[in-house]
Amino acid sequence: MRAVTVTPGVPNSLRLTEEWPEPAPEEGAILVEALAVGVCGTDHEIIAGSYGEAPPGQERLVLGHEALGRVLEDPTGRLHAGDLVAGIVRHPDPVPCTNCAVDEWDMCRNGLYTEHGIKGLPGFARDRWRVQPKFAVGLDPALAQVGMLLEPTSVVAKAWDHIERVGRRAEWKPQTVLVTGAGPIGLLAALLATQRELSVHVLDRATSGPKPDLVRALGATYHATPVAELDFEPDVVVECTGAPVVVMAVMYKVGPTGIVCLTGVSSGGRTIESDPGALNRALVLENNVVLGSVNANRRHWELAAEALARADRGWLNSLITRRVPVGGYADAYAPQPDDIKVVLDFQA
Ligand SMILES: [Zn+2]
């Protein structure tokens, strides 16, 4: 069968392997036929050789962590042949740490977790894969075209879960949310904000392309101005750019008792002028909280599946700006200017 693979640490070792072995039974009882995988920045980093780890004893890593497939067989009876399914990306560390011990692997404390298509486990960019029931998430049958958005949606479902847990430290009735960055994570964070009936603002650099219209289609307001120029103070900020200037600006901009959730991973190494004393003063005097959020556990994947099932299908579909057949895999992994989400299609 076909698989898209890399040799981790070796730049541009991306290949489509035609004779990849069938998934081993130890990978899980549920056998799945791939429909599609989404492509994201982590894939680009792995292809560039700066990230990624093959399974123990193997040279190559199958890519793909934003899965969508159709169940071929599930002898455990939890899912049925034909059901749509995604595989949870992260598995708990073997020690396990206090959080992995209770299946909160998104909060792993020792970094020994494994991740499909990223770190020590084969990915989902292959014709067939297997998954253990514990890591299989069923999707609404209507999501056959867009269900590969479940993984990025799980990331924002976790961010919202943690924002709301922090919010409950005191009386909390948020009204406005600012999302910075209108990539897939930002747009999905905005979707979940509209489902909470908040007044939603999305800020991005783009003044053309699909982003402004996608934001307006949610009933949200689009801004292409610097954060400091916004004429309101948000109750919640979901920061999805990782850009140092934006990260600093939203910590000043957030309103009294406001929460800033950072989800963007910065590359580091770029310095900007800052006044830590003034920032500290701004955060303390307004009871602000700044938290980082990454990955998701099973509870968040299930919340994400519900959120996608409730969302407008046409809008979700318009996040997918290119669908590339597996044979043209190299195109899928070559970014283009107006890309939002690119999908590798195993059925085309
Ligand atoms: Zn752990």
Side-chain angles (χ1 to χ4, degrees):
M1 66 176 194
R2 300 170 300 174
V4 179
T5 67
V6 295
T7 303
V10 178
N12 305 313
S13 58
L14 182 70
R15 302 278 180 275
L16 177 64
T17 309
E18 299 280 349
E19 303 290 320
W20 195 259
E22 292 286 330
E26 309 84 82
E27 291 182 32
I30 304 175
L31 180 64
V32 180
E33 171 189 45
L35 295 181
V37 294
V39 173
C40 87
T42 304
D43 296 309
H44 295 139
E45 286 179 43
I46 295 170
I47 292 166
S50 52
Y51 201 59
E53 186 183 315
Q58 294 182 31
E59 185 200 342
R60 297 191 73 81
L61 170 71
V62 179
L63 273 185
H65 57 278
E66 301 184 1
L68 178 66
R70 213 177 264 292
V71 173
L72 290 172
E73 57 183 47
D74 179 5
T76 71
R78 290 187 36 178
L79 293 170
H80 301 96
D83 285 354
L84 292 178
V85 63
I88 291 177
V89 176
R90 188 178 288 190
H91 287 214
D93 80 75
V95 174
C97 74
T98 46
N99 289 320
C100 285
V102 294
D103 288 343
E104 303 235 346
W105 48 71
D106 57 314
M107 301 295 283
C108 183
R109 287 165 56 87
N110 64 21
L112 298 176
Y113 58 80
T114 52
E115 290 179 329
H116 284 286
I118 302 172
K119 186 173 181 283
L121 291 175
F124 302 111
R126 42 184 170 152
D127 279 315
R128 283 171 292 284
W129 40 272
R130 285 182 172 276
V131 60
Q132 301 167 31
K134 181 176 175 176
F135 300 105
V137 182
L139 289 100
D140 186 302
L143 296 170
Q145 297 299 313
V146 295
M148 75 297 286
L149 296 172
L150 185 60
E151 192 276 342
T153 307
S154 75
V155 168
V156 297
K158 186 250 178 103
W160 274 109
D161 175 44
H162 281 214
I163 289 165
E164 286 163 346
R165 285 163 185 256
V166 172
R168 287 196 292 271
R169 72 196 158 135
E171 185 67 13
W172 196 60
K173 294 198 170 70
Q175 293 180 325
T176 54
V177 54
L178 170 65
V179 176
T180 48
I185 294 289
L187 289 165
L188 290 166
L191 169 70
L192 268 63
T194 60
Q195 290 182 342
R196 286 159 169 78
E197 297 180 348
L198 298 167
S199 169
V200 183
H201 298 259
V202 180
L203 181 145
D204 191 280
R205 283 183 302 193
T207 52
S208 59
K211 291 175 178 178
D213 287 340
L214 281 165
V215 169
R216 288 183 202 115
L218 281 178
T221 308
Y222 189 83
H223 303 268
T225 53
V227 172
E229 290 177 19
L230 296 173
D231 62 0
F232 65 97
E233 292 189 337
D235 299 315
V236 175
V237 178
V238 186
E239 204 301 301
C240 306
T241 70
V245 170
V246 179
V247 170
M248 289 299 291
V250 295
M251 291 195 282
Y252 282 110
K253 193 70 185 177
V254 70
T257 75
I259 299 169
V260 175
C261 181
L262 305 175
T263 71
V265 181
S266 313
S267 48
R270 234 191 305 167
T271 55
I272 56 171
E273 288 272 324
S274 73
D275 181 344
L279 179 61
N280 177 72
R281 179 185 170 85
L283 296 174
V284 169
L285 293 182
E286 294 198 333
N287 284 293
N288 292 146
V289 175
V290 179
L291 71 147
S293 179
V294 71
N295 200 258
N297 64 44
R298 181 168 186 107
R299 194 162 40 85
H300 305 125
W301 282 76
E302 287 171 353
L303 289 170
E306 288 167 25
L308 287 186
R310 281 168 58 199
D312 182 87
R313 226 85 70 210
W315 186 84
L316 292 175
N317 205 37
S318 58
L319 294 188
I320 299 164
T321 43
R322 287 194 291 140
R323 292 177 189 270
V324 181
V326 174
Y329 69 100
D331 285 342
Y333 291 99
Q336 291 182 10
D338 278 345
D339 283 345
I340 292 179
K341 177 57 69 183
V342 178
V343 160
L344 195 58
D345 188 338
F346 277 79
Q347 299 292 317

